[in-house]
Amino acid sequence: MSVLVFLEFNNNELKETSKQALTYANDINENVYAISELKISNDVVESLGKFGVSIFLINTVDFNENNILKCIIPTIEEFKINCIIFPKTNSFSYLSSILSTKLNFPLINNVNSVARFENKICLKSTIFSGKAEADIEIDSNSCILVLNKNIINSTSYKKSVIIKNLINKNDNSLSNNVVSLKKEKLEGDILLNDADIVVSAGRGLKGPENWKMIEKLAKILNAGTACSKPVSDAGWRPHHEHVGQTGLKISPNIYIAVGISGAIQHLAGVNSSKIIVVINNDPEAPFFKHADYGIIGDAFDVIPKFIDALK
Amino acid sequence: MNILICISCVPDTTSTISFVNDDKKFNSDGVQYIIGPYEDYALARAVELKEKDNSINISVLNVGLERNDPLLRKALAIGADDAYRIDVFPNDSLFVAHQISSFINENPFDIILMGKESIDFNSSQVHHITGSLLGIPSLSPVTQLDLNSNKNKILIKKEIDNGIETLEVVLPAVLGCQEPIAEWKIPNMRGIMNARTKPLKVIDQFECFSKINYKKYSLPEKKDNLLIIDENNINELVVALKLKNL
């Protein structure tokens, strides 16, 4: 198996999910190729050895369809790569799908275990929004794997990075049928998918005006803020903060749920969090059955105390 | 203009998931099936567009078994004009996308709407794979969809990693939809009556060899280590979280 990992950076810093993907790749084959969409500086490239990169493919193109066909696929073929690994993010969904159809590599999303490579490729993937897991056999000697967050701990390595260039085949460009007109940044500094800690609140908060204390708690913890579906449906919080079965699925290290009863649809979006803290005034709230720590009490009393304790 | 909505038929979001036959088969006993919530949004948006322009024809397609027919009827009652079911078990994303793209090759559409993902296998790739197989643009997750006056382009909003992107897309295109693209619609009595006479065609599967085998299923381990902390002793929580080095 020759392995390629697609990396993501945030302000020139390799994201934790990408570090985990590199560790995952090193367990398959120590000779790990890596690439990223954003142009990164030379010293950052050199530093990637400690995260497990053996060969970095210097990339100067966006991952649009033209460039995937002209550069990425010929490069993958040239280096005889037969296993491609992605950390799970929104932006890689398109790329992984196109690569799967053009290279004819089977694609598995939501990978939740290490893979065994025998005659077949065997691994586990989460299904039913994390309510269950499937054992999968892939009848192929090549694959594309999209990894869930936190299925492996990132390890450090002592490698010096070899730099290679992408192959660029100058075919005729396809006509561009998709034109980006505008990009707006969402409010909130911390991307929910990347957040190590998430503070989430539900209808128990009684109204949007009461989110100030949630935001304050999140700020102290350097956490992202999320909410339950009824809250985003009522317009108290923006839709992109809705976590649950029909919203975002997240797996932070700590998920703090305030005034959320823990309906099965909400649990489906957060049950892969490492530690779950539930704050609710109803001792019968189903969420407590899925929590590591629980505080039975009124959010309006507990949150200020929590903030004081953190200070 | 022809719009196609590809629907998944999935267990209701409140379903308790369990397995039978040595954990080799999903236990559908007592499970209520629904149109995938994201496709329900997509269908609602298509019906809204048709309400403004009655020349639009809305088709729904499901890759699945006979038990899904009542849900295709429901889609007709909500406002689709005709329904198709490709009669085969939807094994995996590539397989389903192959069925859908083969169908579209024979029956061209201007806009192909899907949910951003099905809530059973959550691959969130069928739209992109279908687009790639057809050689047309695919975009997901789309939260807003409008037609231009010539009906040859669409204006959409799509979630990106730290924001929202507005794009203009030349048709045909495949979109993976999610809220708040439209409000869910509930079929009314007239819709239900009309749906009885609308066409529902069952089609044989297109030949496709799947390389992905689902061998066995399991449920995650249940947590049973809840530690209740008194709100007046919240320092205990702070210490516990710090101890875990989190």
Side-chain angles (χ1 to χ4, degrees), chain A residues 118-165:
Chain A
E118 292 156 6
N119 289 333
K120 294 173 176 177
I121 305 168
C122 304
L123 48 78
K124 289 176 191 286
S125 128
T126 48
I127 53 172
F128 293 106
S129 312
K131 287 182 201 165
E133 206 174 54
D135 281 44
I136 298 176
E137 267 181 23
I138 311 169
D139 225 343
S140 168
N141 51 16
S142 54
C143 61
I144 300 178
L145 307 179
V146 184
L147 307 185
N148 282 348
K149 190 176 169 183
N150 287 342
I151 58 168
I152 195 167
N153 290 321
S154 54
T155 319
S156 54
Y157 299 85
K158 285 179 186 154
K159 292 187 181 179
S160 43
V161 180
I162 300 164
I163 291 173
K164 289 189 178 168
N165 288 317

Side-chain angles (χ1 to χ4, degrees), chain A residues 93 151 165 172 228 235 242 251:
Chain A
S93 171
I151 58 168
N165 288 317
N172 288 329
S228 65
H242 160 208
S251 22

Side-chain angles (χ1 to χ4, degrees), chain A residues 23-261:
Chain A
T23 302
Y24 193 98
N26 271 275
D27 287 351
I28 297 169
N29 183 337
E30 285 173 6
N31 197 31
V32 172
Y33 290 83
I35 186 171
S36 85
E37 179 162 29
L38 281 179
K39 214 175 162 201
I40 48 170
S41 61
N42 285 345
D43 46 323
V44 175
V45 172
E46 278 166 29
S47 76
L48 293 175
K50 67 175 184 276
F51 302 116
V53 174
S54 314
I55 299 151
F56 191 78
L57 302 169
I58 291 288
N59 173 39
T60 52
V61 301
D62 291 338
F63 291 158
N64 60 31
E65 192 184 3
N66 268 322
N67 291 328
I68 294 170
L69 297 178
K70 275 204 255 176
C71 309
I72 311 292
I73 287 177
T75 305
I76 288 170
E77 285 170 343
E78 171 71 20
F79 293 115
K80 299 195 166 48
I81 284 156
N82 52 0
C83 177
I84 304 172
I85 294 177
F86 289 94
K88 188 174 173 75
T89 74
N90 201 349
S91 52
F92 283 149
S93 171
Y94 173 75
L95 177 60
S96 55
S97 306
I98 296 264
L99 290 178
S100 170
T101 55
K102 301 295 178 200
L103 292 162
N104 200 19
F105 287 10
L107 166 64
I108 306 291
N109 206 326
N110 306 313
V111 171
N112 209 39
S113 76
V114 293
R116 281 183 295 121
F117 294 87
E118 292 156 6
N119 289 333
K120 294 173 176 177
I121 305 168
C122 304
L123 48 78
K124 289 176 191 286
S125 128
T126 48
I127 53 172
F128 293 106
S129 312
K131 287 182 201 165
E133 206 174 54
D135 281 44
I136 298 176
E137 267 181 23
I138 311 169
D139 225 343
S140 168
N141 51 16
S142 54
C143 61
I144 300 178
L145 307 179
V146 184
L147 307 185
N148 282 348
K149 190 176 169 183
N150 287 342
I151 58 168
I152 195 167
N153 290 321
S154 54
T155 319
S156 54
Y157 299 85
K158 285 179 186 154
K159 292 187 181 179
S160 43
V161 180
I162 300 164
I163 291 173
K164 289 189 178 168
N165 288 317
L166 278 190
I167 289 161
N168 196 334
K169 269 198 188 169
N170 275 321
D171 288 347
N172 288 329
S173 287
L174 303 162
S175 60
N176 197 356
N177 286 333
V178 180
V179 181
S180 177
L181 303 176
K182 191 168 67 171
K183 282 185 187 178
E184 295 155 84
K185 202 176 171 310
L186 294 174
E187 337 157 10
D189 303 325
I190 298 171
L191 204 52
L192 266 180
N193 275 326
D194 293 342
D196 285 332
I197 305 177
V198 172
V199 181
S200 186
R203 261 186 306 196
L205 252 68
K206 298 191 172 75
E209 65 280 5
N210 296 324
W211 248 262
K212 288 201 182 77
M213 61 179 186
I214 298 296
E215 283 166 348
K216 196 170 167 191
L217 175 62
K219 192 152 193 209
I220 293 172
L221 290 166
N222 195 25
T225 54
C227 68
S228 65
K229 184 166 179 2
V231 165
S232 69
D233 282 352
W236 294 0
R237 299 296 293 176
H239 271 287
H240 65 259
E241 283 198 1
H242 160 208
V243 293
Q245 184 150 22
T246 56
L248 266 184
K249 286 154 202 78
I250 53 171
S251 22
N253 289 334
I254 308 176
Y255 182 73
I256 302 170
V258 185
I260 300 176
S261 64

Side-chain angles (χ1 to χ4, degrees), chain A residues 97 101 109-110 128-129 131 133 135 137 139 177 179-182 184 186 191 246 249 292 294 305, chain B residues 13 38 120 122-123 125 132 161 163-166 168 170 211 213 215-216 218 223 227 229 231-232:
Chain A
S97 306
T101 55
N109 206 326
N110 306 313
F128 293 106
S129 312
K131 287 182 201 165
E133 206 174 54
D135 281 44
E137 267 181 23
D139 225 343
N177 286 333
V179 181
S180 177
L181 303 176
K182 191 168 67 171
E184 295 155 84
L186 294 174
L191 204 52
T246 56
K249 286 154 202 78
D292 299 275
K305 284 178 189 166
Chain B
T13 53
Y38 299 111
D120 51 2
N122 314 102
S123 90
Q125 316 259 23
S132 173
D161 269 342
I164 293 180
E165 188 175 11
T166 307
E168 189 180 62
V170 178
K211 292 177 179 167
N213 300 305
K215 303 301 278 186
K216 214 175 169 187
S218 55
K223 289 195 173 179
L227 183 68
I229 291 169
E231 66 172 285
N232 294 313

Side-chain angles (χ1 to χ4, degrees), chain A residues 296-310:
Chain A
I296 300 163
D298 192 325
F300 296 94
D301 299 329
V302 177
I303 299 300
K305 284 178 189 166
F306 196 1
I307 291 171
D308 283 345
L310 286 164

